Amino acid sequence: MAQLHDLEPVDSLKDPGEPKSAARILAAIRQAEQAFLDYQDVCDRIDRVYARKDDYRSGEWTDPDYDLFWASMEILKPAVYAHAPQPVVTPQFKDRRRLQNLTAEILERGTTVALLRAGIDEVMTGVRDDLIFYNRGQMWVTLEDGRDGRRISIEHLDRKDFLHEPARKWADVGWVARRAWMTREEMRKRFAAHSGEAFKHASTSVRREDQALGGADGSRKAGVWEVWHKRDNRVYWVAPDAPFILDEGEPHLELDGFFPCPRPAFGTLRARSLMPVPDYLRYASHFSKINQLTARLYLLLDRVKMKGLIPAGGDIGTAVEQALHSDDDELLIPVPAAAMMESSGNFVVWLPLKDIADAIQGLIGARGQLFNDFYQLSGISDIMRGASQAQETLGAQQLKSQYGSVRVRGKIDELQRIACDVTKISAEIMAEAFGPELLLEMAQMELPRKAELERRAKAIEDAAEKEMEAIGRQAKAMAEAAKAQDQEIEPAAAEQQLQAAQQQIISKYAVQLRQIAEAVPIEDMMTLLRDNRARGFAFEIATDSTILTDEIAEKASRNEFLTAFTGAAQGLMSFASLGQEGAKMAGEVLRFVLAPYRAGRTLNAVIDEFVDAAPQLAAAQAGSSGLSEAEQSMSAANQKMADAELRKSEAAIAKVQADTAKTQQEMQFKVAEAQTKAQQEGQRLQLEMAETRGNLAEQARRIEKIGADIQLAFARLGIERRAEQRADVKTAAEVVGETHRNLTNPDVIPAKAGIQL
């Protein structure tokens, strides 16, 4: 086989003399196939060993071999790859810019959906198997237009359907090629418009793989190679035995790495080359020896049977040969009695089994040592195989597990790297070829257009302007009304109130305008995605782990994160209380402490937002506004308005207090005046009462005189009549006398009259 460094690279696959000729391209493909011929032969041998194809063909179901290769590969599969990768798209710099963050989120969501639609798990499983068996796995990305619109197609390529220019390192590879098997009808639909009937010269056959699987329809297909040549900046389609290029053109995908495929997932490579060396070659001798020892064990075990000789007749040599070759588990063969008695002296002589048992024990020990050698060589430790000893400590078992994972870490890293690369290629294709509506539909998000944002901003500005005009008209009306009532208005206070009202309107609509200004329109997002250079510098695309997660280790890791977060948060409280600078330093230290932990994109974003907001929170707690200049102006205007209102309230309170004092003085004056009047009225009443007493005395004297006159009259009228009249006169006299006494008593008269003296 020609060495890779002996193969001269082809500067151009295009023949300048015959531009439509496919000779150079086909020659380069044959050269690459020849370079990888030995590798493909080893891989074919691995397929036969793993799939036991010889047993299928022979129809034998006996298993004389110890199938350690199959068992080892089945152990490695879940250890290397367990679940589909999850794309993670984040801005290159965590500066919380709205456009970059929102675009990254849309691209991440869209890529996640694209990978799921493309069946990334099945593709990764195929790459994993190729990497484990052959130390090379590859996939290919294609943009397809279907009835449901554009979509990303990711294919796992068979090891024989992928070729690249032989080189020492991937950066030196000038072209890559993938083979698609097509019928003549498929070739006619695809290439007839570009190269006419050139496809008819392509050699077709029923593929060996189809024959092995029964050949569903027996259709004949040709292997059409799609070649991407970096130096030519062209894509060629050629087929064996077809002398002309079936199709060619500039790359229909503008990719940063030019090729629509990532660097293959490589295992062990030959020094200074991209030639894989399957691990099977390192284990083949162990497998062969183990199988030989296993076959001998089975042979000896078949010989462990109860066989003996008895005296009867026949030849001893013939009897021994019959005993050795017989398949019966129990067998007694007659031999001449005299010969048997001479040799052993026993009536029954059993064939010896102890030597066979010792040989079996020796073979088992030798095979066990080969097992241990293979485990050490392959890195499949006993803890990975589920084997453990009761006396081993937890630390010893964890050490074994770590050792085993380290030995396969190279393959794990390669699978994660190729998953990341294919994610980047898919994201590039989506950014270049997908429209904004399709991207938003895949991401399940909504973004406004610039025209819509401008209309919304214009509507808000118009509403604010109308309110400003209304405030102006209201102020003018109030001034005219005050002037009509001959009220004096202080110009400075009126201007201040007008400005305060205007600042309220500004603050009312400033939040809405700020939200519109911070909104990301579709046009800006697409501009960033279409810009190759900006996209490359702006985003970092990766994938989450594809390996099987240990549940216990995952819980321990999360508990460790929580402990680190809690400890750091409590330890930094003193710094956070020192104001903006202290909060900023505490936030950066917290971010540094939590950086090694894979907390997830959402939690990391929340932590970043909290750290960014820490200085403002500290400023708010310390009494500092921490606002922008416009917001500070509005706040100052509001404060001035509040001060003016406070002064107005204080003036109103002072007026109320003065009015209250005046009212109290008036009430006190009225009370004093009332008291004076009451005293004067009392004196007048006393005089009137004295006069009344005199009048009553005069009336009493008159009554007494009348009484005397009546008594004299009674005397004249007769004794009976006189007695009755005397009683009546006495009663009247008593009433007059009581009235006189009451009027002359100073303690009774006021109470009767109801006057306070």
Side-chain angles (χ1 to χ4, degrees):
M1 184 188 76
Q3 299 297 324
L4 293 183
H5 54 77
D6 295 335
L7 299 176
E8 296 181 359
V10 179
D11 292 335
S12 176
L13 296 180
K14 197 72 174 292
D15 190 343
E18 298 181 11
K20 294 184 179 181
S21 174
R24 279 195 173 189
I25 303 174
L26 293 175
I29 291 175
R30 286 192 297 269
Q31 186 183 29
E33 287 179 329
Q34 184 66 30
F36 288 95
L37 182 60
D38 292 344
Y39 166 74
Q40 297 293 355
D41 290 342
V42 173
C43 294
D44 291 339
R45 179 184 173 189
I46 294 173
D47 289 342
R48 289 194 299 270
V49 172
Y50 184 79
R52 304 296 294 267
K53 292 182 179 180
D54 296 335
D55 291 345
Y56 280 120
R57 286 196 297 269
S58 63
E60 297 179 1
W61 294 100
T62 59
D63 188 7
D65 300 334
Y66 192 92
D67 207 345
L68 186 60
F69 177 66
W70 173 86
S72 302
M73 296 301 103
E74 292 303 308
I75 292 170
L76 282 176
K77 285 180 180 180
V80 173
Y81 173 81
H83 52 76
Q86 295 294 326
V88 177
V89 183
T90 57
Q92 192 74 29
F93 301 101
K94 309 299 186 294
D95 52 3
R96 319 307 303 164
R97 286 184 292 179
R98 179 76 173 168
L99 174 60
Q100 280 72 14
N101 282 275
L102 189 59
T103 306
E105 184 178 0
I106 292 175
L107 194 58
E108 177 179 319
R109 290 187 176 195
T111 308
T112 301
V113 174
L115 293 183
L116 290 176
R117 290 180 178 177
I120 187 62
D121 186 52
E122 181 180 358
V123 175
M124 289 294 298
T125 300
V127 175
R128 175 203 64 185
D129 293 347
D130 286 355
L131 180 61
I132 291 176
F133 289 115
Y134 320 122
N135 270 339
R136 192 188 76 177
Q138 182 59 302
M139 56 182 69
W140 193 276
V141 185
T142 307
L143 175 63
E144 295 182 351
D145 292 321
R147 289 178 297 179
D148 298 334
R150 289 193 161 185
R151 62 187 300 268
I152 299 294
S153 174
I154 304 175
E155 302 175 67
H156 161 244
L157 296 184
D158 184 81
R159 55 184 172 83
K160 293 184 177 180
D161 291 337
F162 173 75
L163 283 175
H164 63 80
E165 180 183 16
R168 294 186 176 183
K169 54 185 179 181
W170 186 253
D172 297 336
V173 173
W175 59 268
V176 297
R178 58 83 49 93
R179 178 167 52 185
W181 295 91
M182 306 174 67
T183 62
R184 289 193 181 277
E185 181 61 22
E186 291 172 340
M187 287 190 291
R188 184 188 64 79
K189 292 180 179 179
R190 171 63 180 83
F191 304 114
H194 304 280
S195 56
E197 297 182 353
F199 67 92
K200 292 184 177 180
H201 299 282
S203 60
T204 60
S205 62
V206 179
R207 294 201 308 163
R208 184 178 302 175
E209 290 81 359
D210 294 339
Q211 290 177 343
L213 296 176
D217 55 358
S219 58
R220 301 178 65 85
K221 298 180 180 180
V224 179
W225 288 95
E226 178 183 348
V227 184
W228 288 63
H229 197 275
K230 184 183 297 185
R231 286 183 287 269
D232 288 351
N233 193 33
R234 306 287 287 179
V235 182
Y236 305 102
W237 282 266
V238 295
D241 297 333
F244 302 109
I245 298 175
L246 301 179
D247 190 12
E248 67 170 311
E250 294 184 355
H252 50 279
L253 300 175
E254 296 183 6
L255 303 175
D256 185 54
F258 183 79
F259 299 137
C261 63
R263 176 180 178 268
F266 286 119
T268 305
L269 295 175
R270 186 178 298 174
R272 297 180 300 281
S273 73
L274 295 176
M275 180 65 65
V277 180
D279 294 339
Y280 176 82
L281 294 177
R282 306 183 186 279
Y283 314 144
S285 59
H286 287 75
F287 295 150
S288 177
K289 292 177 182 178
I290 290 173
N291 289 336
Q292 291 177 6
L293 293 180
T294 302
R296 292 178 183 178
L297 278 172
Y298 289 162
L299 179 63
L300 291 179
L301 289 174
D302 289 339
R303 297 293 182 265
V304 181
K305 297 178 181 180
M306 294 295 294
K307 297 181 179 182
L309 305 177
I310 59 175
D315 182 70
I316 293 180
T318 303
V320 172
E321 183 178 358
Q322 181 182 355
L324 293 176
H325 290 86
S326 175
D327 292 333
D328 296 334
D329 292 338
E330 296 180 1
L331 180 65
L332 294 176
I333 302 175
V335 297
M340 183 174 178
M341 295 301 293
E342 291 177 359
S343 60
S344 63
N346 296 323
F347 288 98
V348 179
V349 178
W350 299 100
L351 294 182
L353 297 180
K354 183 179 183 302
D355 295 338
I356 298 177
D358 292 342
I360 291 174
Q361 292 295 331
L363 290 175
I364 292 176
R367 192 178 66 167
Q369 184 60 45
L370 288 175
F371 286 162
N372 292 331
D373 293 343
F374 169 73
Y375 295 150
Q376 293 294 329
L377 182 63
S378 63
I380 304 177
S381 61
D382 53 355
I383 194 66
M384 290 180 62
R385 300 177 62 250
S388 179
Q389 298 180 6
Q391 65 271 21
E392 285 183 345
T393 63
L394 176 62
Q397 293 183 359
Q398 290 177 348
L399 183 62
K400 287 182 178 181
S401 178
Q402 182 179 4
Y403 173 75
S405 63
V406 167
R407 293 298 300 272
V408 298
R409 190 69 213 181
K411 289 182 171 57
I412 294 174
D413 292 342
E414 273 296 286
L415 283 176
Q416 293 181 353
R417 193 268 311 160
I418 195 173
C420 179
D421 290 350
V422 80
T423 302
K424 291 180 179 178
I425 294 174
S426 301
E428 280 191 89
I429 295 175
M430 293 172 58
E432 291 288 345
F434 283 21
E437 290 78 11
L438 180 57
L439 285 174
L440 293 177
E441 180 183 357
M442 295 176 67
Q444 295 296 304
M445 296 177 66
E446 294 182 0
L447 288 183
R449 293 188 176 274
K450 280 187 177 181
E452 180 182 352
L453 292 177
E454 291 175 356
R455 286 195 302 269
R456 288 164 55 186
K458 184 66 168 57
I460 294 174
E461 292 174 355
D462 293 342
E465 185 177 355
K466 289 180 180 179
E467 289 196 19
M468 288 286 190
E469 294 176 354
I471 289 293
R473 290 193 299 268
Q474 183 180 0
K476 184 178 179 180
M478 291 176 63
E480 292 177 353
K483 183 177 180 181
Q485 297 177 4
D486 294 333
Q487 295 180 356
E488 184 178 355
I489 298 179
E490 186 179 353
E495 181 67 22
Q496 188 176 12
Q497 292 181 357
L498 179 61
Q499 291 179 357
Q502 291 175 346
Q503 290 299 332
Q504 286 183 338
I505 296 174
I506 293 174
S507 61
K508 174 183 176 181
Y509 291 101
V511 176
Q512 302 178 22
L513 290 174
R514 184 166 58 250
Q515 291 176 351
I516 293 177
E518 292 177 354
V520 177
I522 297 177
E523 291 83 356
D524 291 351
M525 184 265 293
M526 294 306 299
T527 299
L528 180 59
L529 289 178
R530 294 283 194 263
D531 191 343
N532 292 334
R533 296 187 60 185
R535 185 175 65 239
F537 288 115
F539 302 119
E540 180 181 3
I541 302 176
T543 55
D544 282 347
S545 178
T546 59
I547 61 175
L548 185 63
T549 303
D550 187 351
E551 184 177 358
I552 298 178
E554 180 72 13
K555 291 180 179 179
S557 175
R558 297 193 179 196
N559 289 332
E560 183 182 355
F561 169 81
L562 183 60
T563 302
F565 175 80
T566 305
Q570 292 178 353
L572 296 172
M573 286 294 293
S574 58
F575 291 97
S577 62
L578 297 178
Q580 286 185 322
E581 296 299 329
K584 182 178 180 180
M585 185 183 71
E588 292 300 327
V589 173
L590 179 64
R591 183 181 292 171
F592 172 78
V593 171
L594 301 179
Y597 296 95
R598 295 176 58 87
R601 184 174 187 269
T602 303
L603 184 55
N604 285 334
V606 172
I607 292 173
D608 290 338
E609 291 176 358
F610 175 77
V611 171
D612 293 340
Q616 287 76 15
L617 294 176
Q621 292 179 354
S624 175
S625 62
L627 303 176
S628 63
E629 183 177 355
E631 291 172 334
Q632 289 179 357
S633 300
M634 288 187 289
S635 178
N638 292 333
Q639 185 64 35
K640 290 180 180 179
M641 184 176 64
D643 293 341
E645 293 294 332
L646 180 61
R647 288 193 294 270
K648 289 171 61 179
S649 300
E650 291 176 349
I653 293 173
K655 184 177 182 302
V656 171
Q657 291 176 347
D659 294 341
T660 302
K662 182 179 179 181
T663 303
Q664 289 178 350
Q665 292 177 357
E666 292 177 352
M667 291 296 295
Q668 291 175 357
F669 177 76
K670 289 180 179 181
V671 169
E673 185 179 2
Q675 290 177 351
T676 304
K677 289 182 177 180
Q679 291 177 357
Q680 295 175 356
E681 187 66 22
Q683 293 174 359
R684 186 181 63 80
L685 289 175
Q686 287 178 356
L687 295 174
E688 290 179 355
M689 289 176 63
E691 184 179 357
T692 301
R693 291 190 192 102
N695 293 333
L696 287 175
E698 181 67 25
Q699 291 295 331
R701 288 191 298 268
R702 289 179 181 179
I703 290 172
E704 288 178 355
K705 182 180 179 183
I706 292 170
D709 292 341
I710 292 172
Q711 288 178 358
L712 180 61
F714 281 164
R716 292 176 180 177
L717 289 177
I719 296 176
E720 293 85 1
R721 184 68 176 168
R722 188 172 52 243
E724 181 179 356
Q725 290 177 352
R726 190 183 303 116
D728 295 336
V729 171
K730 181 182 178 180
T731 303
E734 289 177 354
V735 171
V736 172
E738 184 179 358
T739 302
H740 182 271
R741 287 192 299 271
N742 289 336
L743 290 174
T744 58
N745 190 352
D747 297 331
V748 176
I749 292 174
K752 295 289 185 176
I755 300 174
Q756 182 178 2
L757 299 179

